[in-house]
Amino acid sequence: MALCNKHLLSIEDLSRQEVEYILGVARQFRKTFDSPAKERNALQGRTVMNAFFEPSTRTRSSFEIAAKRLGADAINFSTSSSSVVKGESLKDTALTLLAMNPDVLVVRHSEAGAPFYLARYCANAVVINAGDGAHEHPTQALLDAMTISDHKSSFKGLVVAIVGDIAHSRVARSNMLLLNKLGANIRVCSPPTLMPPRFENSEIFSTYHLSEALEGADVVMMLRTQWERQHESLFPSTKEYFSLYGLNTSRMQLAKDDAIVMHPGPINRGVEIDPAMADGSCSVILDQVRNGVALRMALLYLLLGYPEEGES
Amino acid sequence: MTLLLKGGTVVDPSQDIDQEKQDILIEDGVVADVGIIDPNSEWEILDLTGLVVVPGFIDMHVHFREPGREDRETVETGSRAAVAGGFTSVMCMPNTTPVNDNESVTRFLLSKAQEVDLANIHPCGAITKGSLGKELAEIGEMVSAGAVAISDDGNPVENNQVMRRALEYSRIFGIPVVDHCEDRALAAGGCIHEGVVSTRLGLPAMSRTAEEMDVVRDTILARVTGGHAHIAHVSTEESLEWIRIAKDKGVQVTCEVTPHHFILKDEDIGNYNTLYKMNPPLREERDVEAMLQGLADGTIDCIATDHAPHTTLEKDTTFTKAANGIIGLECAIPLAWNYLISSGLISISRLVELFSVNPSHILGLDRGSLAKGKIADVTVIDQTKKVTVDVATFQSKSRNCPFHGRTLGGVPVLTVVGGRVVYNQI
């Protein structure tokens, strides 16, 4: 089965069947992690270019490891050490990178829509959105779905609470699209100042009260809070934010007994999550990271067109 | 020179002529006679049978970029675009480099217009020096030089006291204060209307309240000062509600709408198409409906294009970085014809009010009429002809038009300015 769209720019590019297929392939790859020969050669001779116009540690490393485990060459391009600081436009930077014939361009950018812009110039390379402004972070949502499916038998009717800066979170956007596609019930929770005015999907339940979001939840997904936002009158202080929206052990009692706690990282301990929760038994935060590598291997593999081998 | 416009279907609300077959005789740049006129062999005669003949259309909101950004547009290319689009007069907004905030720049613009000698160019002076919102510009001197209105378009006056003083001071000259309504703090640097689409695209959004707050401010100040506030490119349902209320109270407030705000919606942006980026941003379905309603019921006084030329480079980038605005002169009439006349929403006579009678009145121009003795500015439209909008054929120097590719009816085919044929595609 080949993926319908050439690029992965948004979760909207994927059908439900494709998502399930990707997760299945990712699980296959994950099995190989513990065997001595981690390296496969499926993508030998292929080049994956990580074009990161915004700082990132985990996502970039994750793509790099994923590419290398499949035998591809991974090249990292970051703005601090590039001609972007000399004033080169995004278009020219992209055309220059593309002239080196990479097979995949993994793009992280601070502006929403930047990967769409670059994809228009990518006749031969596949573009993967690795996070664009406050728009989307599709691979994060996919690895989150993979992690949820490790712990829950089905997405159907699953109650997922997403808590934090919903308005500015690309992780929240991609997860809302993906988990809704998979049949979960989504609750979003933030102060009104960090909540978008309206959602396209009217089935999304939104609340300003953490207890309403947590009550009976199967999955609690905490988002990173950018403390700089207190200077934009969006909340008064990180201290008050934690007292209203921080996840701690007693609040977690409201969720189901077998509920899991997720976080895309980097974590702000004591701002959105109590250290006891982050390190506690219901936390699957490090599983998310581990799954991220497998998921990105699956994506690179499928987008570069090796479906037959994957099925065998 | 004498010119006879023969056999056309005339629509002129100033004379209560509504789709009557009338001839128009033009002598020395003015209308010499209207009626059934026997031709004289010494006259130049144009047969306009089957065509709609109306008082010259006026676009009271254009950016010709000269002086300063001649790479985007010049008075010459802008004027050519105007007459090709069926406009006989335009008002040029003052946000050039330098800003048109003194009589020298006003005179420069008019001398350029005289060189080009196509459309009537009416300068709009700045409200404040440098459009910085602090001190009043030399409004009287600009008016003496030929300015017909004042505006800090693109950099709206934030200080309420300054706006109040501008509305008071403008009363000396009886000119409108044209305001691009945008409360900067509420707009928060947004590049798209705040709504479902901005949520989906994750772009920094601008609340509709940013416009409405200034609309309300202006109506309050117009009421207390007795000045004339003209709201530029109104775009939200609530803005129109406030304007309607103010008008009912007798406040001297008028407003314009652009074709894109009564046709396009934020969802047309699709996946970050920068040709759909403008300020005010494209709104929602209910706002478009409200604009159409306002055009039909008279709340909206006129249609203006906010013709905003930008180089291809300025649009070929990410959405947040792309320049605001689109060009409108060369497709505004067909767009209005399609979405307002062909749809049955308004009459041709009402369209003439929106494009000619009202802008002329707002700016105190002695135009907008084909009555005997009036300046012979005439627009002629072929309502049976269809055109496919093609930016490659535009006279404008720029190409930033999201209507490219649309096939529209109601095509301007002849433009007469001051009795002289400046565009003829009959």
Side-chain angles (χ1 to χ4, degrees):
Chain A
M1 178 173 151
L3 299 182
C4 200
N5 278 292
K6 178 183 169 184
H7 308 294
L8 178 60
L9 304 176
S10 161
I11 286 296
E12 291 179 285
D13 292 340
L14 300 171
S15 70
R16 184 192 166 133
Q17 288 70 27
E18 286 176 318
V19 171
E20 282 164 358
Y21 181 55
I22 293 166
L23 298 190
V25 174
R27 282 187 209 101
Q28 292 295 317
F29 278 121
R30 190 174 55 187
K31 281 186 195 162
T32 68
F33 283 10
D34 302 318
S35 63
K38 283 178 186 170
E39 306 281 337
R40 291 172 54 107
N41 296 318
L43 298 185
Q44 194 165 30
R46 299 301 193 109
T47 306
V48 175
M49 196 172 265
N50 283 325
F52 278 62
F53 297 85
E54 188 186 72
S56 155
T57 313
R58 69 198 62 219
T59 304
R60 202 198 62 203
S61 312
S62 183
F63 269 108
E64 189 176 349
I65 292 168
K68 287 183 172 164
R69 283 193 185 164
L70 290 169
D73 296 316
I75 282 113
N76 290 321
F77 165 91
S78 63
T79 46
S80 57
S81 58
S82 75
S83 12
V84 172
V85 291
K86 297 177 193 163
E88 189 175 50
S89 75
L90 178 60
K91 179 177 173 176
D92 290 311
T93 305
L95 291 176
T96 305
L97 297 178
L98 289 168
M100 300 177 206
N101 291 323
D103 297 283
V104 181
L105 200 61
V106 179
V107 180
R108 160 70 62 94
H109 201 283
S110 60
E111 289 177 63
F116 284 84
Y117 177 73
L118 291 177
R120 278 195 269 141
Y121 295 99
C122 285
N124 299 314
V126 168
V127 176
I128 298 179
N129 182 355
D132 61 330
H135 176 231
E136 277 209 51
H137 194 348
T139 60
Q140 178 72 42
L142 287 164
L143 72 88
D144 288 344
M146 183 177 173
T147 309
I148 292 171
S149 71
D150 288 341
H151 294 87
K152 305 292 165 190
S153 53
S154 162
F155 285 98
K156 189 110 191 88
L158 204 68
V159 177
V160 182
I162 306 176
V163 183
D165 186 350
I166 307 293
H168 302 95
S169 172
R170 52 193 175 211
V171 175
R173 267 181 187 70
S174 286
N175 265 303
M176 282 190 274
L177 288 169
L178 181 60
L179 297 174
N180 180 67
K181 206 184 278 272
L182 296 172
N185 291 335
I186 299 157
R187 299 175 184 171
V188 292
C189 175
S190 81
T193 46
L194 295 175
M195 186 73 86
R198 271 174 299 147
F199 296 102
E200 220 153 359
N201 179 355
S202 57
E203 287 165 25
I204 289 171
F205 171 80
S206 72
T207 173
Y208 308 137
H209 304 288
L210 186 56
S211 56
E212 284 185 5
L214 296 182
E215 184 77 50
D218 296 289
V219 176
V220 181
M221 193 180 283
M222 302 304 291
L223 301 172
R224 176 180 155 75
T225 306
Q226 290 172 275
W227 60 270
E228 308 88 53
R229 302 252 179 240
Q230 63 189 316
H231 302 304
E232 297 169 34
S233 292
L234 292 169
F235 58 88
S237 68
T238 51
K239 182 164 70 70
E240 175 158 321
Y241 184 88
F242 186 67
S243 76
L244 289 170
Y245 297 98
L247 187 68
N248 58 27
T249 317
S250 69
R251 283 177 174 155
M252 193 60 194
Q253 302 294 323
L254 292 168
K256 286 209 182 120
D257 292 342
D258 61 349
I260 55 171
V261 173
M262 305 175 76
H263 194 299
I267 294 176
N268 288 312
R269 287 172 187 255
V271 178
E272 69 259 354
I273 191 162
D274 191 293
M277 285 311 315
D279 304 328
S281 59
C282 50
S283 166
V284 296
I285 295 170
L286 294 176
D287 294 349
Q288 289 173 267
V289 178
R290 182 180 160 86
N291 283 339
V293 174
L295 186 279
R296 287 171 180 125
M297 286 172 78
L299 260 184
L300 290 172
Y301 184 75
L302 294 173
L303 284 168
L304 287 179
Y306 282 81
E308 290 78 16
E309 199 192 334
E311 277 163 19
S312 65
Chain B
M1 196 200 79
T2 306
L3 172 66
L4 181 66
L5 304 180
K6 184 93 186 122
T9 306
V10 177
V11 180
D12 182 1
S14 79
Q15 303 179 76
D16 281 330
I17 300 176
D18 192 9
Q19 301 188 59
E20 292 171 31
K21 196 165 176 160
Q22 300 267 2
D23 307 326
I24 294 167
L25 186 68
I26 299 167
E27 266 173 356
D28 302 323
V30 298
V31 177
D33 201 3
V34 181
I36 303 301
I37 300 162
D38 287 330
N40 180 317
S41 60
E42 285 168 26
W43 299 344
E44 187 186 339
I45 298 167
L46 288 170
D47 181 8
L48 305 185
T49 307
L51 303 175
V52 178
V53 179
V54 295
F57 279 8
I58 300 165
D59 184 351
M60 66 173 290
H61 197 136
V62 303
H63 299 272
F64 280 180
R65 308 298 190 201
E66 198 175 353
R69 286 306 301 266
E70 294 82 358
D71 55 329
R72 292 171 172 169
E73 195 80 286
T74 62
V75 171
E76 185 183 349
T77 56
S79 299
R80 279 206 222 114
V83 298
F87 290 94
T88 56
S89 295
V90 295
M91 180 165 83
C92 292
M93 300 314 276
N95 59 338
T96 47
T97 314
V99 173
N100 183 6
D101 64 351
N102 64 74
E103 61 171 323
S104 305
V105 183
T106 306
R107 285 187 203 287
F108 167 81
L109 191 59
L110 286 169
S111 74
K112 277 280 163 188
Q114 205 166 19
E115 261 174 51
V116 172
D117 200 19
L118 286 170
N120 305 301
I121 305 283
H122 300 288
C124 178
I127 299 173
T128 61
K129 294 189 180 91
S131 281
L132 296 173
K134 296 203 167 70
E135 299 170 24
L136 289 184
E138 290 165 338
I139 297 164
E141 294 189 1
M142 289 190 289
V143 170
S144 301
V148 294
I150 48 171
S151 177
D152 277 357
D153 188 44
N155 199 22
V157 177
E158 264 178 62
N159 186 310
N160 295 335
Q161 179 74 327
V162 173
M163 194 61 175
R164 172 192 159 190
R165 294 305 184 207
L167 280 158
E168 285 174 343
Y169 196 76
S170 68
R171 295 192 61 189
I172 308 173
F173 317 104
I175 54 165
V177 179
V178 179
D179 197 15
H180 164 129
C181 289
E182 180 187 342
D183 181 302
R184 286 294 167 90
L186 281 169
C191 63
I192 180 175
H193 169 71
E194 186 178 272
V196 166
V197 176
S198 71
T199 300
R200 178 171 72 80
L201 295 175
L203 287 166
M206 187 188 297
S207 159
R208 58 172 63 242
T209 318
E211 174 174 312
E212 292 145 15
M213 195 65 81
D214 268 6
V215 167
V216 173
R217 188 258 320 244
D218 289 351
T219 58
I220 292 170
L221 292 175
R223 191 182 189 185
V224 296
T225 60
H228 173 181
H230 176 82
I231 311 299
H233 40 53
V234 66
S235 69
T236 80
E237 182 182 12
E238 288 85 348
S239 288
L240 271 189
E241 273 174 27
W242 290 111
I243 291 167
R244 205 173 273 128
I245 291 168
K247 283 186 164 189
D248 285 346
K249 289 189 182 299
V251 179
Q252 217 188 335
V253 57
T254 53
C255 68
E256 73 197 23
V257 67
T258 67
H260 46 277
H261 286 115
F262 67 75
I263 296 169
L264 303 176
K265 296 185 278 277
D266 57 354
E267 64 196 55
D268 295 318
I269 292 166
N271 280 323
Y272 308 94
N273 188 338
T274 59
L275 283 178
Y276 293 81
K277 184 182 176 189
M278 52 278 284
N279 187 7
L282 295 174
R283 306 289 185 183
E284 302 169 31
E285 176 86 38
R286 70 177 175 94
D287 299 297
V288 170
E289 289 300 319
M291 295 306 122
L292 294 171
Q293 172 67 28
L295 284 162
D297 71 17
T299 310
I300 294 174
D301 297 277
C302 53
I303 300 171
T305 66
D306 193 4
H307 180 84
H310 288 289
T311 64
T312 306
L313 195 62
E314 292 172 292
K315 285 288 192 184
D316 184 13
T317 181
T318 50
F319 200 86
T320 33
K321 289 216 172 70
N324 275 314
I326 61 168
I327 52 175
L329 281 167
E330 291 172 82
C331 55
I333 294 176
L335 285 170
W337 201 275
N338 251 66
Y339 289 89
L340 304 178
I341 304 280
S342 303
S343 67
L345 185 75
I346 64 170
S347 64
I348 299 175
S349 181
R350 172 72 182 137
L351 189 76
V352 175
E353 283 175 15
L354 290 162
F355 265 128
S356 184
V357 180
N358 295 349
S360 170
H361 186 70
I362 289 166
L363 300 176
L365 311 176
D366 190 19
R367 301 178 192 271
S369 168
L370 294 174
K372 194 171 170 180
K374 295 286 179 185
I375 298 166
D377 289 350
V378 190
T379 297
V380 178
I381 297 165
D382 186 342
Q383 55 181 332
T384 59
K385 192 172 170 177
K386 296 253 176 214
V387 67
T388 300
V389 179
D390 179 3
V391 294
T393 65
F394 277 7
Q395 300 294 314
S396 168
K397 213 172 219 186
S398 289
R399 297 286 174 262
N400 51 314
C401 179
F403 297 109
H404 176 76
R406 290 200 193 206
T407 299
L408 305 164
V411 182
V413 289
L414 178 75
T415 310
V416 177
V417 174
R420 196 161 52 95
V421 174
V422 290
Y423 178 77
N424 185 350
Q425 288 290 313
I426 295 174

